[in-house]
Amino acid sequence: MNALYEALRKAGHHVTMVAPLTNQTGKGGSIAYSGTFGVTHPVPGDNDIWAVDGTPADAVAFGIATVFADRAPDLVVSGTNSGTNLSLTTNHSGTLGAATTALDRGVPTIAVSTAHPAEFDRDWDGAGGPDFAGTASLTERIVGTVQRTATDCDHLMPRHEGLNVNYPSVRYRGVREAEFGDIDTIPTTYTQDGEGKYTVGYDLSPLQDAAEGTSGRTTVDYELVARGYASITPLDGSLSATKDSGFVGSLVRDLG
């Protein structure tokens, strides 16, 4: 997140960071409707950085309602941190939860995630880490392109539309428009650890399998990232089905 903040500032954008105080991986769109949370300026002398002791969605909601109370920001960029948010995993992502919170409030958004080498390399030896600098550079290019091609400053992107960007951990090969995959790329695991107690973990094999099976062409998000491409998928923040399967109508009829 800090790398992205600095890259956008150096590119001449006016950037304000409103971010969670602590790691909030997997918090989805969780948001506070009561209680209190602390808000501080954690970097002395930089009042453009705010730390919110809440979820990513809390940070965005607070930022739009309070920090930008007089005028909504032109664009919200959510991220980046370590770990991809691809396919069905996006349903639980704090990064995407923050992005959809902005979309709900009519602010265009770009969610950005950076792959960790361990996600795609079953034999990762601990060397290296997420390429935040590369992610920041690509994101700065995306923001610049959005700005350059926008109709006007009030409509940088179509209303209630955003982008979900994932940057690879292997050698960067370019950026691709991607299809939303239909698997949970990082499913959770539960291992019994005594009577009535389970240890929660996660399984990286779907991503590692994708990295090991890179033959043939693909347009699926996690397969593209496994091959070194940054994937971009559209984001609208809606959990509604895009095509009517007939299920809802049938259910309502059955309920009478």
Side-chain angles (χ1 to χ4, degrees):
M1 188 173 293
N2 289 326
L4 188 49
Y5 175 73
E6 293 298 335
L8 292 174
R9 288 187 66 183
K10 289 179 180 177
H13 301 287
H14 180 199
V15 185
T16 298
M17 183 192 297
V18 186
L21 179 64
T22 60
N23 178 39
Q24 298 289 310
T25 294
K27 295 297 184 180
S30 175
I31 195 169
Y33 286 102
S34 62
T36 62
F37 50 62
V39 179
T40 60
H41 292 293
V43 180
D46 192 343
N47 288 335
D48 282 333
I49 298 180
W50 302 67
V52 176
D53 192 9
T55 67
D58 284 327
V60 169
F62 172 82
I64 293 174
T66 305
V67 180
F68 288 91
D70 296 331
R71 185 184 186 280
D74 295 327
L75 179 71
V76 166
V77 180
S78 177
T80 184
N81 63 351
S82 177
T84 55
N85 288 296
L86 296 156
S87 303
L88 299 182
T89 302
T90 59
N91 291 332
H92 314 291
S93 162
T95 302
L96 272 294
T100 55
T101 300
L103 290 178
D104 290 345
R105 286 151 178 79
V107 181
T109 186
I110 302 173
V112 186
S113 305
T114 307
H116 190 284
E119 291 183 280
F120 293 90
D121 185 355
R122 213 181 302 273
D123 301 316
W124 183 59
D125 61 5
D131 186 0
F132 292 129
T135 307
S137 177
L138 174 62
T139 305
E140 187 276 316
R141 287 175 52 210
I142 293 171
V143 171
T145 302
V146 166
Q147 182 182 41
R148 186 173 63 254
T149 59
T151 304
D152 55 67
C153 290
D154 292 327
H155 300 87
L156 290 181
M157 297 168 66
R159 185 170 173 79
H160 295 301
E161 282 195 32
L163 304 173
N164 181 26
V165 180
N166 282 269
Y167 195 87
S169 55
V170 296
R171 184 179 64 84
Y172 176 66
R173 300 177 63 184
V175 60
R176 293 288 186 273
E177 180 181 2
E179 294 179 65
F180 190 74
D182 62 357
I183 69 168
D184 186 348
T185 53
I186 309 177
T188 49
T189 61
Y190 307 92
T191 304
Q192 189 164 10
D193 186 17
E195 185 65 28
K197 184 178 180 182
Y198 287 77
T199 298
V200 181
Y202 54 87
D203 180 13
L204 296 175
S205 61
L207 295 177
Q208 294 166 348
D209 290 346
E212 292 168 359
T214 55
S215 61
R217 295 173 61 86
T218 185
T219 56
V220 178
D221 55 3
Y222 68 94
E223 293 179 344
L224 285 168
V225 176
R227 300 176 190 202
Y229 294 101
S231 69
I232 300 182
T233 51
L235 177 69
D236 66 5
S238 173
L239 294 179
S240 299
T242 56
K243 294 182 179 179
D244 183 10
S245 64
F247 171 74
V248 175
S250 176
L251 177 65
V252 169
R253 286 193 297 274
D254 288 345
L255 289 171

